[in-house]
Amino acid sequence: MSNYIVLVKQVPDVSQITDNAFNPETGTLIRTRLASVINELDAQALAFANYMKVISGDNKGQIIALTMGPPMAEEVLRYSLSRCADQAILLTDRALGGADTVATANPLAFAVRKIVRDILKNEDDYFVISGMQSVDGDTAQVPPQMAEELGLSCIAYVTDIEFKNGRFEFTRIISGGSQVVAAKKLPAVITVAKYEFPLYATFSKTRWANRTQVTTWASEDIKATHIGVKGSRTAVIRVFPPGKSTRKCRQLNNTDSLAKLLVESFKSGNSQMDQDSDSKASRYILPKKRVSLFDRNFEGTKKEQEDYAILSEKLKELGIKEINQIDDQAKKKILAAAGDQFHDRALEDMINGLELIKPAFKGEVWVVAEHSEGLIHPATFELIGKANELADSLETKVGVCLAGYQVETMAKELIASGADNIYVIEDKLLSVFDPTAYRKAVADVISQYWPQVVLYAATPQGRMLAPMVSYRVECGLTADCTGLDIRDSSRKGDIALLLQTRPALGGNVMATIRTKNSKSQMATARPGVMKKMPSDASRKGNVIKQKVELSEDDISLEIIKTELGAGDVNFGAEVIVSGGKGMQSRDNYDRLLTTLCESLTKKLNTQIERGASRAAVEQGFVERAHQVGQTGTSIGPKLYIALGISGAIQHMIGVANTETIVAINSDPNAPIFKQCDYYIVGTVEETIPQLVDALEQM
Ligand SMILES: Cc1cc2nc3c(=O)[nH]c(=O)nc-3n(C[C@H](O)[C@H](O)[C@H](O)COP(=O)(O)OP(=O)(O)OC[C@H]3O[C@@H](n4cnc5c(N)ncnc54)[C@H](O)[C@@H]3O)c2cc1C
């Protein structure tokens, strides 16, 4: 008899953001001005748990909804009770506030332990089920970190399930395709990426839900070891509005204008790519290499930069060259120059900061390589490019942790792309990616060398592995970074920290985060954002073989079937025309893309390839090899035409390096319209034939 502990979270409703939800001065989102709702993917996870109970044919299993949050989070528990939950538990305590993912996963795991002890009477046939991620954090880190704390296996990004031969078989998203797996042991943690069969509340269930007692636990009831701000291993140091897209986002009213613009932008080239703030930022120099110790141009926040600018300007004016020359007289003059900008205590901290030259962390900058079927994932090369830049500033080496079986041959390619030392972990048990086995292997090697930075690709594999490894080696982790910079926090006594910048709240704000209470700084970085280095076959590096102790017991999943996209698709073509779920059918996809591609080939005299969204592939419109995006292929053509594609982040990540993006979509509010250069609001059935006519008549 399986039981189901479902994690539900109350989140701000980021789909309904009004203008007054933004702070007019800072441009950032005021969270309290947004309505609170159940995290959509958690609502799906709840329905998924109910479906598991139904298909297993076992009515006795309980569904227990668990949330951690303020007292008002009880609303999502009432929601859960009114749908299918049998019991609900609210973990609420001021001491739990301000937590990062570690200090969220830890108390939730301890709450699960208490549920198992008190309610399930130590029965270990249970699943912990949650949405893949929440819209406010978007990290997807909490469930794998809980799995690590509880010592359970974790099956992430699940989209479907079957009950066969007395056990559950889960279909999940993996890099480049999908996979059917079963847990080798229970209990297990499951995260749901898509389950579009919501549950509705009946009148009588709603009345019952409102009458039912919600169990409330405080921090001391669960005895967690890492809670609140103190138990966190990361800290947000800055929140700011996202930069405006440099895409044109221009609506066209007729297909004649679109035909003209397609031809013009293809011929002229039209690079409107969003530059990440990161690449523009100046390259960090360690204090000992700066012209003067008083040069503090690399502080992490604008305020600290301004404060130090005033201080060093004044020191220059006063002719002070040594710290011990800063006497009371000088301090008075500095404070007068600062006005309200900073006061005496801050000045003392800043002066102390001037003495610092030693970086807060030491060791190499590492990348954890991702590979499959003998090929290294392109995101690994991008990370090595970034690691090279960081290591250059920090005057250290770039290491790559390469775990797998018969993978040593890949070392050459990794060295050519910028790595210095390749730490190879070869074991037959690592032949295919198993999160539990891989996390043990990678964590063991990290804790042998303690690199100061460890980067993972924010792919389904990296977003699964990184939280487990970082939790295991007791380090902070920031998800899905789009910017990584080395900066100082001299005033607080830290030099050469990795500042990790990422979008949050559905991309409505950006946050810069630093690691704390950790021996290493860890981040996953979004594919397609960092730049790889040109490959250089003459580069030299070292291969360092590692031995780790693994046994069959470390394998958590039985892989039943893997479907990976493979085929003769030329994504190097200058023009790529992609169809999404909005194409409605395979027939439409074939017919409409064929006519459009034929007339574009004639007009532009170039090779054109067909792409697709993941949803179109799942609908069977085209083979998986054509999938574009985070788990498909990342492309960078001159011209990308998206037909009936909504513009989900996982799709758009894959087209970030495109010169011109054109979209046709029937929904005037389609998110893709804010991420493209030209668009037409219209159905593909009507618009494409008109566009083909317009191209022929040009
Ligand atoms: C871990 C993970 C990895 C993923 N990886 C990828 C990936 O690599 N690539 C990817 O694409 N997705 C990926 N996804 C899925 C992604 O989140 C979206 O679900 C997917 O991109 C949606 O595809 P779509 O835009 O075709 O479908 P939908 O989001 O359903 O959008 C269909 C669009 O078609 C429009 N439409 C409907 N009818 C018409 C019509 N007649 N004419 C014109 N327009 C019409 C609608 O307005 C809508 O905007 C991933 C998801 C997860 C969780």
Side-chain angles (χ1 to χ4, degrees):
M1 178 190 70
S2 291
N3 294 291
Y4 309 89
I5 300 169
V6 184
L7 306 177
V8 284
K9 186 176 181 195
Q10 192 174 47
V11 293
D13 187 356
V14 290
S15 66
Q16 311 283 336
I17 298 180
T18 52
D19 283 347
N20 82 345
F22 285 93
N23 179 330
E25 275 161 30
T26 61
T28 54
L29 203 60
I30 307 168
R31 205 173 152 150
T32 48
R33 294 223 179 124
L34 299 177
S36 291
V37 291
I38 183 168
N39 181 46
E40 168 65 30
L41 281 170
D42 294 343
Q44 294 186 18
L46 187 70
F48 190 85
N50 187 56
Y51 182 62
M52 285 176 77
K53 192 170 150 174
V54 171
I55 58 173
S56 70
D58 176 6
N59 275 332
K60 289 200 199 88
Q62 292 194 64
I63 298 181
I64 301 161
L66 166 66
T67 196
M68 176 172 121
M72 72 179 273
E74 189 180 317
E75 282 170 22
V76 297
L77 294 175
R78 302 260 170 233
Y79 172 102
S80 309
L81 288 166
S82 71
R83 269 58 181 189
C84 63
D86 301 294
Q87 294 196 47
I89 289 151
L90 171 65
L91 182 56
T92 188
D93 200 315
R94 273 179 182 277
L96 300 168
D100 73 349
T101 61
V102 165
T104 303
N106 183 277
L108 281 170
F110 276 79
V112 167
R113 283 195 179 114
K114 187 169 164 63
I115 291 173
V116 174
R117 222 172 30 239
D118 297 359
I119 302 174
L120 303 181
K121 306 293 174 217
N122 291 321
E123 181 66 62
D124 69 359
D125 181 357
Y126 68 90
F127 291 91
V128 177
I129 304 176
S130 78
M132 148 191 109
Q133 60 191 31
S134 62
V135 290
D136 51 348
D138 284 344
T139 68
Q141 286 176 189
V142 170
Q145 287 177 329
M146 281 180 75
E148 188 59 39
E149 172 61 42
L150 292 165
L152 307 183
S153 51
C154 182
I155 305 178
Y157 302 109
V158 169
T159 57
D160 207 351
I161 185 165
E162 278 188 275
F163 190 73
K164 279 187 180 166
N165 308 321
R167 66 172 187 178
F168 292 107
E169 294 186 359
F170 300 90
T171 304
R172 63 172 186 154
I173 295 174
I174 55 166
S175 297
S178 66
Q179 197 169 56
V180 180
V181 296
K184 281 185 90 178
K185 276 182 282 197
L186 289 186
V189 174
I190 310 295
T191 82
V192 176
K194 189 184 82 181
Y195 182 70
E196 290 165 338
F197 306 98
L199 294 173
Y200 295 98
T202 60
F203 182 62
S204 62
K205 248 331 209 161
T206 307
R207 281 187 46 171
W208 175 80
N210 288 336
R211 277 200 317 263
T212 298
Q213 175 80 35
V214 164
T215 306
T216 302
W217 288 339
S219 173
E220 63 192 30
D221 294 317
I222 52 161
K223 311 241 176 322
T225 50
H226 290 84
I227 60 165
V229 177
K230 261 189 154 174
S232 297
R233 296 196 182 114
T234 54
V236 176
I237 59 166
R238 190 165 79 105
V239 176
F240 58 102
K244 285 220 171 351
S245 163
T246 52
R247 297 268 170 215
K248 295 191 175 77
C249 306
R250 204 173 120 200
Q251 182 177 359
L252 303 173
N253 294 322
N254 58 67
T255 42
D256 289 346
S257 327
L258 179 58
K260 233 172 108 202
L261 275 163
L262 284 181
V263 176
E264 272 172 18
S265 50
F266 176 75
K267 296 214 163 129
S268 64
N270 177 23
S271 189
Q272 287 295 314
M273 287 176 272
D274 229 340
Q275 296 286 322
D276 62 308
S277 61
D278 190 50
S279 62
K280 282 187 235 148
S282 54
R283 191 69 69 88
Y284 178 85
I285 306 167
L286 283 167
K288 62 174 186 195
K289 283 284 170 77
R290 296 178 201 161
V291 180
S292 151
L293 256 195
F294 295 167
D295 173 0
R296 295 284 146 171
N297 282 334
F298 296 100
E299 293 301 310
T301 66
K302 205 168 151 229
K303 169 89 173 72
E304 285 167 337
Q305 280 163 23
E306 287 168 359
D307 290 358
Y308 267 109
I310 294 172
L311 173 62
S312 32
E313 185 57 38
K314 209 65 207 164
L315 291 174
K316 214 157 117 201
E317 256 179 57
L318 297 169
I320 293 177
K321 296 216 167 61
E322 303 285 333
I323 294 168
N324 56 18
Q325 291 175 283
I326 311 174
D327 57 16
D328 288 348
Q329 279 288 353
K331 284 180 192 167
K332 269 194 195 135
K333 286 182 185 155
I334 295 163
L335 286 171
D340 279 341
Q341 181 78 17
F342 55 81
H343 298 288
D344 42 0
R345 280 233 355 235
L347 177 61
E348 289 301 334
D349 290 346
M350 285 162 66
I351 294 171
N352 289 338
L354 288 179
E355 297 193 44
L356 296 173
I357 49 165
K358 206 166 143 229
F361 291 84
K362 56 179 196 291
E364 297 181 346
V365 176
W366 275 24
V367 170
V368 176
E370 180 169 337
H371 56 89
S372 131
E373 312 269 297
L375 291 177
I376 299 163
H377 194 289
T380 299
F381 297 119
E382 295 166 9
L383 293 182
I384 293 174
K386 185 71 202 181
N388 211 279
E389 182 196 309
L390 300 175
D392 200 30
S393 287
L394 294 165
E395 301 186 351
T396 184
K397 300 270 183 219
V398 175
V400 171
C401 179
L402 176 63
Y405 183 54
Q406 296 177 335
V407 288
E408 201 184 319
T409 45
M410 295 175 188
K412 224 168 147 191
E413 208 181 342
L414 294 166
I415 292 168
S417 65
D420 301 305
N421 294 326
I422 314 295
Y423 299 86
V424 181
I425 317 167
E426 293 257 18
D427 196 305
K428 208 160 186 203
L429 292 167
L430 300 172
S431 304
V432 285
F433 176 74
D434 183 281
T436 317
Y438 265 66
R439 67 89 159 89
K440 188 173 178 193
V442 173
D444 276 7
V445 176
I446 286 176
S447 40
Q448 205 177 317
Y449 292 90
W450 287 116
Q452 61 178 302
V453 169
V454 182
L455 305 178
Y456 311 74
T459 54
Q461 183 171 314
R463 276 165 54 112
M464 169 85 197
L465 181 65
M468 293 182 107
V469 171
S470 61
Y471 197 93
R472 195 171 172 84
V473 298
E474 302 185 347
C475 291
L477 173 70
T478 303
D480 233 4
C481 294
T482 53
L484 294 167
D485 299 287
I486 306 295
R487 289 290 177 267
D488 300 329
S489 181
S490 308
R491 223 180 104 172
K492 303 224 167 81
D494 288 321
I495 294 294
L497 298 172
L498 180 73
L499 296 195
Q500 307 139 36
T501 299
R502 65 179 303 261
L505 276 171
N508 288 293
V509 295
M510 300 297 289
T512 299
I513 291 164
R514 61 159 291 186
T515 307
K516 57 173 200 169
N517 306 331
S518 307
K519 271 182 150 173
S520 180
Q521 308 163 95
M522 301 195 176
T524 66
R526 195 175 273 186
V529 178
M530 312 296 165
K531 305 274 171 290
K532 65 175 189 184
M533 290 167 53
S535 178
D536 173 2
S538 67
R539 276 193 96 252
K540 296 268 172 291
N542 307 303
V543 174
I544 303 150
K545 290 189 189 175
Q546 299 298 316
K547 189 97 202 91
V548 290
E549 292 301 318
L550 289 173
S551 71
E552 273 295 332
D553 219 35
D554 293 309
I555 304 292
S556 60
L557 304 180
E558 182 188 325
I559 296 170
I560 297 160
K561 193 169 87 185
T562 302
E563 189 204 309
L564 289 174
D568 209 5
V569 180
N570 174 20
F571 275 135
E574 287 187 306
V575 180
I576 291 170
V577 181
S578 273
K581 197 170 167 188
M583 297 306 294
Q584 313 290 349
S585 64
R586 185 169 182 124
D587 179 52
N588 266 2
Y589 179 97
D590 278 342
R591 194 169 40 82
L592 294 171
L593 262 76
T594 303
T595 55
L596 181 57
C597 290
E598 277 174 6
S599 65
L600 280 170
T601 309
K602 272 192 248 154
K603 235 9 321 125
L604 306 178
N605 196 19
T606 186
Q607 228 196 342
I608 300 185
E609 186 53 271
R610 294 173 186 210
S613 69
R614 184 169 185 111
V617 170
E618 278 165 2
Q619 295 289 310
F621 298 173
V622 67
E623 289 62 50
R624 187 159 310 269
H626 290 264
Q627 186 187 315
V628 170
Q630 186 194 5
T631 48
T633 304
S634 287
I635 55 172
K638 274 178 113 171
L639 179 61
Y640 183 67
I641 306 178
L643 308 168
I645 291 178
S646 58
I649 179 71
Q650 296 92 349
H651 186 80
M652 300 314 287
I653 281 175
V655 297
N657 292 327
T658 303
E659 287 187 11
T660 302
I661 301 180
V662 172
I664 297 173
N665 195 304
S666 55
D667 173 6
N669 298 316
I672 198 165
F673 293 157
K674 292 202 173 118
Q675 305 167 73
C676 70
D677 296 291
Y678 306 108
Y679 66 92
I680 281 195
V681 180
T683 65
V684 286
E685 295 88 337
E686 274 186 18
T687 315
I688 295 175
Q690 287 170 11
L691 179 60
V692 169
D693 280 351
L695 283 165
E696 313 260 291
Q697 275 161 33
M698 273 179 74

